[in-house]
Amino acid sequence: MRRFLVDRASIENVNVVQQEAELEPPPNVVNEFNPNEIVRDPGHRKQINEYAPDIQDQVRRAYILKGPMQPHLPSFPRTPFGSVSRAFSKSWYKNYTWLEYSEIKDAAYCFYCFLFKQPGRAEHFGFEVFTKSGYRDWKHASQGLKDHVGSHNSLHNSCVKHYDDYNNQRQSVTSKFAKATKESEELYKIRLTCSLDCSRYLIAQGMAFRGHDESSTSLNKGNFREMVDWNEQVRDAFDRGGKNCTMTCGDIQKELATCCAHEVTKVIMEELGDRQFSVLIDESRDISVKEQMAVMLRLVVVFSNFQFSLPIILYAAKFLNDKGNVVERFIALHHVTDTSSKSLKDALYGILDKYTLSISRIRGQGYDGASNMRGEFNGLQRKILDENPYAFYVHCYAHRLQLVVVSVTSSCSSIHDFFEYITLIVNTTSASYKRRDALTEAQHKDILNKLESGEISRGRGLHQSSSLTRPGDTRWGSHHTTLLRLDQMWSSVLKVLSMVDEDGRGPSQAAGLIEKMESFKFAFILRLMLKLFGITNELSNILQRKDLNIVNAMELVDVVKARLGTMRESGWNNFFADVQGFCVAKSILVPNMDDEIPVRGRSRAEGRTITNLHHYRAEIFYVAIDKICVEMDHRFSEGSNIILDCFSCLDPKNSFSKFDVDKLARLADIYHADFSDDDRGTIRDQLETYVLMLLFPLVKMFKMVQTEKHLVFPLVYKLIELALILPVSTASVERAFSAMKIIKSKLRNKINDVWFNDLMVCYTEREIFKSLDDIDIIRTFTAKKSRKGHLPRNFI
């Protein structure tokens, strides 16, 4: 009680207004400000008066655009008050929109008072506490927050009035001096809306804005200016904008892109709400040799008992019904100068802090196999796990599968030599434009002959012109694609190799490649690799789906393992018959399988021989399959992972045959922060009732919400949500890097990092971007800073 009286006495008398004090300038005045580097946490940010007077307006607008810092943590730290403990409650956000919370200091702050407090005024009842030191008296917070608001004339309400007036640009001193006519407002409206339309089109198409010469006499002013000049009425509105309000400069285009990216991320944050998520991270170099780190969030979108803004409702109605409820969202592309795990961690934390996302809400990490990412002792995943033990790491399944494929290419000396010959064939047939054209022409004639003979059928999109591609260890599915095209273009490749041998001025390797291609061993290994890679490539394509969950991924891996095991046990006869049919079709001599041949790698003089059957079946067929099976078991050994082993019990296959109440109940202990003591005591009963009712399988969790079954089984629903959140692959991040190459090309290699990030967010999340309302973007653009032009009163 004594402590309570002291705290009350130190902050009471809300309505007392003291004389203005003589202000001394802060010792370290900040003269520069970057809106993209603001400190969101109210416990660490600088006060407004610590910035130079000429940039204070810019600082206020940057913070207003971001809004108050209101993190939604699973649980807040508890502070002892005598025999009881109290904590901050996120329910206070609804009653007090100005309320902020600092994770670093575990304290509450006032957003409006921070922005517009008058230095030197009375430092009573929370006016200084809610801006600098922070309010921590959670035991009496209900009354303390009300007392901070005070009466109509309180200092807090005065700051609220300043905030409202500040957002209304027409009330500013600058705007009152500017006499805007209705005609000028309409012209400004045309210029702004047209600039936005042009910007949205160019962003969505990944096209450049500026031109090399944008002068009035230029024949090509760049995409943006050419689009503006296309309409005579619009061009007239731009011409009448004067020198200071033309809305065509590069800064305006960048600000419009920033506002678009802001609205896109706003929709993503509303999708996420206060639920948990996983992070997907990868890094790659852009065309200007800058190391870029892409960050995506994997989350479960559920539209039930939540209130959302109009853009997200329109987006959901248009896209969610047929896309499912597990989504992966791109939120940032960050330039990193150092790829160490510490630098990546700091960059990630900065991005999450920018969007008011707490580290404690992460429930999964998805990276590739780089040591700085997956390092067991000093990797990025370990550093995050040290601070959040529930952020479980999953090595990208697609990367693992590619490592399996690469290992098979060197499983034995015969297969290794085969792929060396494949590389030589691709290089020889594609070394010059003449050979490429000859290959395309030969393929075209071959397709026409097959169409005339009826070997292949006609159809839209069939039999497109293609070329041989080089297999790459880092390109998913490239080995299978190369072999598949070689099989399809077999006769065309032989013709080009013959042409190279005939046209060569000296000896060439083309003749030797023809001999290798028409040998039985080459045909045997080609058909074997097509068979094996066909199985793994099917899995690779499925693993790259955004909505694939970890339970289904583990099941698919088991299916592939079973298919490989079946092929080894009983697949030889069918496979060898397929090889014989291929050789007959291609006029390749099939050797007698009982003939003796020297042991590979040994001299014929040693006299050590084996039969052809033993060589092809035991030394190639079995070795290749055994290698891929061993690698699959090694790379996908999820049995040792307790988390994935428990989640596998949610598999609905065969009427929940894997369902294990003990293992699933153990998940409640592992995810200790997500389940209370009461939850852990009742989850077994819910699980047993759930499986008896045979509710919707994992892939249909959204219907579980539609039918409100998640209200009947909230704990089971929470387990399913945690399973869906766990990442499977980083394919979505790889797609973002493909978009990066479109946006930042050789001719656009000087895009600054901020603009590059804004363009990437909008281009990668085009579905959300195209569903945005122009009015929301214009409202954000208008709020960024004071504008010389004004829109009509009833426009926004």
Side-chain angles (χ1 to χ4, degrees):
M1 178 63 70
R2 179 178 181 85
R3 176 182 175 183
F4 171 64
L5 293 174
V6 172
D7 289 343
R8 298 272 295 178
S10 64
I11 56 177
E12 62 184 1
N13 298 328
V14 179
N15 299 323
V16 176
V17 181
Q18 295 182 345
Q19 298 289 333
E20 293 285 349
E22 292 294 326
L23 302 179
E24 295 183 1
N28 298 318
V29 177
V30 180
N31 296 311
E32 295 182 357
F33 175 72
N34 185 351
N36 298 295
E37 298 179 357
I38 62 174
V39 178
R40 296 297 309 281
D41 193 289
H44 267 197
R45 66 192 176 195
K46 295 181 180 294
Q47 299 298 304
I48 296 296
N49 67 329
E50 295 183 41
Y51 292 92
D54 57 335
I55 65 172
Q56 288 182 6
D57 180 77
Q58 183 184 3
V59 176
R60 285 193 179 95
R61 289 196 177 276
Y63 276 104
I64 289 175
L65 191 62
K66 295 292 183 182
M69 180 74 170
Q70 297 182 341
H72 292 265
L73 305 181
S75 61
F76 291 85
R78 304 188 69 85
T79 303
F81 289 89
S83 60
V84 297
S85 61
R86 296 288 187 270
F88 181 88
S89 175
K90 60 184 176 183
S91 62
W92 296 336
Y93 292 146
K94 297 180 181 179
N95 299 327
Y96 305 99
T97 57
W98 49 265
L99 187 63
E100 295 185 288
Y101 176 78
S102 170
E103 293 186 61
I104 298 176
K105 292 189 175 182
D106 183 30
Y109 294 82
C110 177
F111 185 59
Y112 297 152
C113 293
F114 159 71
L115 292 172
F116 296 101
K117 74 172 183 178
Q118 298 295 322
R121 304 294 295 271
E123 299 182 358
H124 294 295
F125 213 102
F127 202 61
E128 195 71 16
V129 173
F130 278 86
T131 55
K132 283 189 176 181
S133 58
Y135 182 80
R136 302 183 184 87
D137 188 7
W138 310 132
K139 184 176 181 180
H140 308 99
S142 298
Q143 185 62 37
L145 296 177
K146 293 180 181 178
D147 291 343
H148 173 70
V149 175
S151 64
H152 179 71
N153 295 323
S154 67
L155 296 177
H156 170 83
N157 285 320
S158 175
C159 293
V160 174
K161 185 177 183 300
H162 281 300
Y163 176 84
D164 294 336
D165 292 341
Y166 194 80
N167 279 337
N168 185 2
Q169 291 195 19
R170 291 181 177 275
Q171 300 298 323
S172 65
V173 177
T174 305
S175 64
K176 288 185 177 181
F177 278 105
K179 297 180 180 179
T181 63
K182 290 185 177 181
E183 181 184 12
S184 64
E185 290 179 348
E186 288 296 329
L187 291 175
Y188 178 73
K189 172 186 171 182
I190 294 174
R191 293 194 298 273
L192 179 55
T193 54
C194 180
S195 295
L196 178 59
D197 290 341
C198 295
S199 298
R200 292 190 67 169
Y201 175 81
L202 295 175
I203 292 173
Q205 299 300 317
M207 299 171 64
F209 281 66
R210 312 291 296 182
H212 178 70
D213 181 9
E214 296 188 351
S215 63
S216 58
T217 58
S218 175
L219 297 178
N220 186 356
K221 302 175 185 178
N223 294 326
F224 185 87
R225 293 296 297 270
E226 290 293 337
M227 292 177 69
V228 168
D229 293 345
W230 191 259
N231 186 290
E232 184 176 350
Q233 181 182 0
V234 172
R235 183 173 65 249
D236 179 68
F238 276 88
D239 292 339
R240 295 171 62 183
K243 295 182 178 181
N244 297 324
C245 195
T246 58
M247 304 297 291
T248 58
C249 70
D251 292 339
I252 293 294
Q253 296 165 11
K254 293 176 183 178
E255 288 183 13
L256 288 173
T258 299
C259 295
C260 291
H262 174 80
E263 291 300 315
V264 170
T265 53
K266 180 180 177 181
V267 171
I268 295 174
M269 293 303 114
E270 289 183 347
E271 279 184 341
L272 177 60
D274 60 353
R275 294 184 298 279
Q276 288 84 4
F277 58 90
S278 292
V279 292
L280 305 173
I281 301 176
D282 203 353
E283 53 191 89
S284 178
R285 290 185 180 179
D286 60 23
I287 193 66
S288 58
V289 202
K290 284 185 176 181
E291 196 72 24
Q292 303 287 355
M293 182 182 77
V295 180
M296 300 190 77
L297 303 183
R298 181 179 173 92
L299 55 132
V300 174
V301 180
V302 178
F303 294 90
S304 175
N305 299 330
F306 293 97
Q307 298 294 326
F308 296 99
S309 62
L310 181 60
I312 194 171
I313 293 175
L314 293 175
Y315 164 76
K318 187 174 182 181
F319 296 105
L320 186 63
N321 291 335
D322 61 340
K323 292 294 182 71
N325 60 325
V326 182
V327 295
E328 295 175 354
R329 298 297 188 205
F330 181 89
I331 62 169
L333 185 75
H334 187 79
H335 173 218
V336 290
T337 57
D338 182 12
T339 58
S340 65
S341 58
K342 183 180 183 304
S343 298
L344 297 179
K345 173 194 167 186
D346 294 341
L348 173 63
Y349 282 20
I351 293 170
L352 296 180
D353 180 67
K354 176 182 177 181
Y355 296 112
T356 325
L357 298 176
S358 173
I359 304 301
S360 61
R361 293 170 60 187
I362 300 178
R363 289 297 178 270
Q365 307 176 63
Y367 317 131
D368 59 16
S371 59
N372 61 337
M373 294 285 201
R374 64 167 298 188
E376 183 177 356
F377 301 104
N378 200 34
L380 176 60
Q381 62 96 8
R382 171 49 56 187
K383 291 183 178 297
I384 295 178
L385 272 174
D386 290 341
E387 299 187 19
N388 178 8
Y390 309 110
F392 300 108
Y393 166 68
V394 178
H395 185 190
C396 171
Y397 270 52
H399 276 92
R400 294 195 224 178
L401 187 60
Q402 181 64 17
L403 293 175
V404 172
V405 171
V406 172
S407 67
V408 174
T409 61
S410 57
S411 56
C412 66
S413 58
S414 297
I415 295 178
H416 179 269
D417 292 346
F418 168 80
F419 280 99
E420 292 292 331
Y421 294 134
I422 291 293
T423 302
L424 290 175
I425 292 171
V426 173
N427 292 340
T428 304
T429 55
S430 307
S432 65
Y433 72 90
K434 181 180 178 181
R435 297 179 186 179
R436 287 176 178 268
D437 292 343
L439 183 61
T440 303
E441 181 64 23
Q443 182 193 14
H444 179 69
K445 292 180 179 179
D446 185 54
I447 291 175
L448 291 179
N449 294 333
K450 290 181 179 180
L451 287 173
E452 292 177 359
S453 62
E455 293 183 42
I456 56 177
S457 58
R458 300 176 184 271
R460 180 182 293 273
L462 299 178
H463 318 305
Q464 297 292 315
S465 177
S466 59
S467 61
L468 292 178
T469 58
R470 294 181 178 86
D473 291 348
T474 59
R475 293 199 302 273
W476 300 341
S478 60
H479 291 82
H480 181 256
T481 301
T482 300
L483 300 183
L484 195 61
R485 290 187 180 180
L486 178 61
D487 182 39
Q488 295 170 350
M489 304 169 62
W490 184 272
S491 59
S492 303
V493 171
L494 289 175
K495 290 179 181 178
V496 173
L497 290 176
S498 299
M499 181 199 73
V500 173
D501 182 62
E502 293 175 359
D503 297 343
R505 297 181 179 179
S508 69
Q509 58 188 3
L513 293 177
I514 293 175
E515 292 180 2
K516 288 296 180 183
M517 284 184 63
E518 293 185 332
S519 66
F520 178 79
K521 178 177 286 190
F522 189 94
F524 181 90
I525 298 177
L526 173 64
R527 302 306 296 178
L528 177 61
M529 292 297 104
L530 281 174
K531 184 68 175 179
L532 295 179
F533 291 166
I535 297 174
T536 59
N537 190 67
E538 182 180 356
L539 175 61
S540 177
N541 292 334
I542 297 176
L543 289 176
Q544 296 176 43
R545 289 172 46 187
K546 293 182 179 180
D547 58 347
L548 184 66
N549 58 71
I550 196 70
V551 176
N552 287 344
M554 294 166 63
E555 179 186 354
L556 289 169
V557 170
D558 291 339
V559 170
V560 169
K561 290 180 180 178
R563 289 184 63 186
L564 292 172
T566 302
M567 182 178 175
R568 190 192 189 284
E569 294 298 327
S570 58
W572 166 257
N573 292 332
N574 292 334
F575 170 73
F576 189 71
D578 175 70
V579 175
Q580 286 180 315
F582 177 83
C583 292
V584 171
K586 305 301 181 184
S587 301
I588 298 175
L589 181 63
V590 178
N592 187 348
M593 290 293 105
D594 295 328
D595 288 349
E596 298 283 337
I597 59 172
V599 175
R600 183 177 175 83
R602 295 291 184 268
S603 171
R604 186 182 297 271
E606 295 182 16
R608 299 177 59 184
T609 61
I610 56 175
T611 63
N612 280 318
L613 179 62
H614 181 275
H615 174 65
Y616 287 106
R617 184 169 64 177
E619 295 185 349
I620 298 180
F621 182 79
Y622 286 157
V623 167
I625 297 179
D626 288 343
K627 179 66 175 180
I628 196 171
C629 288
V630 169
E631 287 293 324
M632 290 287 290
D633 290 335
H634 171 66
R635 301 289 180 183
F636 297 96
S637 56
E638 309 300 8
S640 59
N641 191 315
I642 299 175
I643 300 295
L644 300 184
D645 183 49
C646 293
F647 275 133
S648 65
C649 299
L650 289 170
D651 189 356
K653 186 177 65 174
N654 298 329
S655 299
F656 292 88
S657 60
K658 294 183 179 180
F659 202 84
D660 189 321
V661 174
D662 293 332
K663 287 185 178 181
L664 291 174
R666 188 179 181 184
L667 287 172
D669 296 326
I670 295 174
Y671 288 96
H672 185 80
D674 297 318
F675 297 89
S676 65
D677 293 337
D678 293 338
D679 292 340
R680 287 188 286 275
T682 59
I683 191 171
R684 292 177 178 272
D685 295 332
Q686 281 198 20
L687 287 168
E688 291 175 354
T689 307
Y690 172 81
V691 71
L692 288 176
M693 291 184 64
L694 294 178
L695 290 180
F696 298 101
L698 187 66
V699 294
K700 295 182 178 179
M701 193 193 77
F702 186 66
K703 288 188 178 181
M704 186 179 180
V705 177
Q706 285 180 329
T707 56
E708 297 186 351
K709 292 297 190 298
H710 69 298
L711 302 177
V712 181
F713 300 97
L715 302 181
V716 178
Y717 169 79
K718 187 178 293 186
L719 285 179
I720 294 176
E721 186 176 8
L722 290 172
L724 291 171
I725 288 174
L726 278 181
V728 177
S729 75
T730 59
S732 297
V733 188
E734 299 290 347
R735 295 188 189 99
F737 288 142
S738 298
M740 180 179 72
K741 296 178 181 179
I742 295 175
I743 295 174
K744 194 169 186 179
S745 59
K746 290 184 178 180
L747 297 179
R748 304 176 67 191
N749 59 0
K750 294 183 180 180
I751 299 178
N752 65 56
D753 295 333
V754 176
W755 194 21
F756 192 20
N757 173 72
D758 295 336
L759 295 177
M760 280 290 296
V761 169
C762 297
Y763 185 84
T764 306
E765 297 296 338
R766 286 191 296 277
E767 291 180 348
I768 298 178
F769 176 58
K770 291 183 177 181
S771 68
L772 295 177
D773 191 350
D774 285 349
I775 297 299
D776 294 326
I777 301 175
I778 292 175
R779 189 179 290 114
T780 303
F781 176 80
T782 305
K784 271 185 76 71
K785 66 179 183 181
S786 299
R787 305 290 176 183
K788 296 183 179 179
H790 293 285
L791 294 167
R793 291 180 180 272
N794 58 351
F795 182 65
I796 55 175

